[in-house]
Amino acid sequence: MLMTLHLRWRHNEVMLATRRARHDVVSASLAARADDELSASLRSAPAGAVGGGSSVLEVDGIPVFAKRIPITDRELAHPLSTANLFDVPLLCQYGMHRLAGPGFGAWRELAASITVTEGVLAGESETFALLHHWRVLPGRPPVASEHEDIEAVVAQFEGDTAVRTRLEALAGARSSLVLFLEYFPAPLIDTLNDPLGSAERFERQLFEAVAFLRSRELLHMDGHFANMRADVDRLYLVDFGLATSSRFDLSDAERDFVARHVNHDADYASMRLVNWLVTTVCSVPMPVSGGPAERNAYVRRCATGDIPQDIPHAVAAILARHAPAAAAMNDLHWRLVDGDIHAQYSDPLPTPRAKQ
């Protein structure tokens, strides 16, 4: 056991040194380029696999993921502000509505990316992509498909005027905040071909990420599988578009929201982990249409301690640890998807549990 831990530690040290060296090269190269040169590089780069506002470019032979985030005139007038400049309602913090909310601002995503990058470079975490460089550049990505019908999104949020104002400002944005990030080509789900063999490693890495976020008072709020990338046997949590933090410039209501959601990321991670194992290892089918009633019932059964005897021991232990939180989060998720926009997270186990 000690030898395994030592080898893992040594491997991690080598990987961190390699990542730091690449980061130094890319950061220096990008910082030295003028705006028009960077804009030309983005125009000529192949489109990224995630989202219409992304691309992958090479910087001194190193692939870099460039994410363009439309930035409104109001945000540009308040550089680096993490305040909720449009007074977007807090119910938009959840990433589980049928139509995505308008977000809370590009500067918050930048602040979160800087925070996790500092942690990786300091050796405190491995589980996040490094932010090599950022720049505000002219031009903007296409309007997100879920925001093309502004009236539909506004209607979902009961005609909220702040949602409309934010979406209209985003549609009219003429510039982008561009984040130049470490590139990991593989979606996490493509590397999970052996659910039984990778379950414990996945659990450990997932909750290492949650523990780090807690240590930096940062909430991700949207840790689904599409927001995770992988490189061999390591996962990386990306996309901080819904991030919030007690260190941001928050209103009193937002500060209360963060305090009440301190365990949200851990419980959300439990939900994703348990649902994945229940469908892949426990063979509970997902319907082609409609909600996953059978899966959610199975998770609720496990949450009561009634875990089927034929489940492999390692998976049964994970289900025992995480099913109570997963069952509660499944209920919240499907209330939001079904249109109950006032459904709120309620901590089922109000104790710190970032480390499992």
Side-chain angles (χ1 to χ4, degrees):
M1 180 65 175
L2 289 176
M3 178 61 71
T4 300
L5 291 174
H6 175 75
L7 290 174
R8 185 187 298 165
W9 174 83
R10 181 59 186 158
H11 171 74
N12 292 345
E13 285 291 301
V14 171
M15 287 299 298
L16 177 56
T18 302
R19 293 177 72 188
R20 282 174 175 156
R22 286 199 303 254
H23 174 69
D24 289 344
V25 169
V26 174
S27 296
S29 181
L30 290 171
R33 303 186 186 191
D35 286 359
D36 56 353
E37 185 180 359
L38 277 182
S39 295
S41 297
L42 290 172
R43 286 194 298 270
S44 62
V50 181
S54 69
S55 56
V56 179
L57 59 152
E58 283 205 356
V59 178
D60 292 359
I62 299 170
V64 173
F65 183 76
K67 180 178 181 180
R68 290 188 299 159
I69 306 167
I71 190 163
T72 65
D73 291 343
R74 188 177 301 186
E75 290 167 275
L76 291 174
H78 297 81
L80 302 181
S81 173
T82 55
N84 183 358
L85 296 173
F86 287 84
D87 199 26
V88 173
L90 286 174
L91 52 87
C92 294
Q93 277 288 176
Y94 296 120
M96 297 180 279
H97 298 287
R98 184 176 58 83
L99 296 173
F104 291 79
W107 297 129
R108 285 191 176 184
E109 184 162 0
L110 173 62
S113 298
I114 290 172
T115 294
V116 298
T117 294
E118 290 172 347
V120 173
L121 293 176
E124 298 172 15
S125 177
E126 302 170 65
T127 327
F128 305 94
L130 290 167
L131 174 65
H132 298 307
H133 185 70
W134 66 271
R135 192 84 62 91
V136 174
L137 295 172
R140 49 86 46 76
V143 173
S145 59
E146 63 267 29
H147 292 161
E148 288 178 350
D149 187 346
I150 290 178
E151 295 303 325
V153 182
V154 172
Q156 174 182 265
F157 292 108
E158 299 181 338
D160 191 279
T161 56
V163 171
R164 179 185 300 280
T165 301
R166 169 81 175 145
L167 288 173
E168 289 176 348
L170 284 170
R174 297 164 294 177
S175 301
S176 298
L177 171 66
V178 186
L179 305 182
F180 296 90
L181 296 151
E182 197 172 11
Y183 177 56
F184 299 105
L188 174 72
I189 198 66
D190 290 354
T191 69
L192 296 176
N193 300 317
D194 177 16
L196 183 57
S198 58
E200 291 178 308
R201 171 175 55 83
F202 181 31
E203 179 197 25
R204 183 184 72 252
Q205 293 182 6
L206 192 57
F207 285 90
E208 285 173 358
V210 170
F212 172 79
L213 292 173
R214 178 191 290 278
S215 75
R216 293 298 181 102
E217 301 174 38
L218 186 63
L219 288 172
H220 186 282
M221 296 298 298
D222 200 24
H224 54 77
F225 277 23
N227 282 340
M228 297 181 198
R229 311 295 287 178
D231 182 16
V232 189
D233 61 353
R234 163 62 59 182
L235 75 84
Y236 301 89
L237 181 60
V238 299
D239 194 341
F240 286 86
L242 284 178
T244 188
S245 170
S246 58
R247 300 182 182 184
F248 288 176
D249 182 4
L250 302 180
S251 67
D252 289 343
E254 288 178 298
R255 198 164 297 282
D256 177 68
F257 179 95
V258 169
R260 289 187 291 106
H261 286 71
V262 67
N263 285 322
H264 174 279
D265 283 350
D267 293 340
Y268 192 102
S270 291
M271 177 184 70
R272 294 299 179 181
L273 174 65
V274 167
N275 288 348
W276 169 65
L277 288 173
V278 165
T279 56
T280 58
V281 176
C282 306
S283 302
V284 177
M286 285 287 287
V288 175
S289 61
E294 184 178 354
R295 184 203 66 191
N296 289 358
Y298 190 100
V299 173
R300 284 194 293 272
R301 171 187 173 184
C302 292
T304 68
D306 183 13
I307 298 174
Q309 295 297 310
D310 59 345
I311 301 303
H313 175 74
V315 171
I318 292 173
L319 294 181
R321 285 191 287 272
H322 298 286
M329 288 300 287
N330 275 338
D331 289 344
L332 172 64
H333 187 167
W334 287 98
R335 285 179 63 191
L336 291 168
V337 169
D338 285 343
D340 182 1
I341 66 165
H342 297 291
Q344 293 189 37
Y345 169 81
S346 178
D347 194 339
L349 304 166
T351 56
R353 54 188 175 279
K355 295 181 180 179
Q356 302 291 329

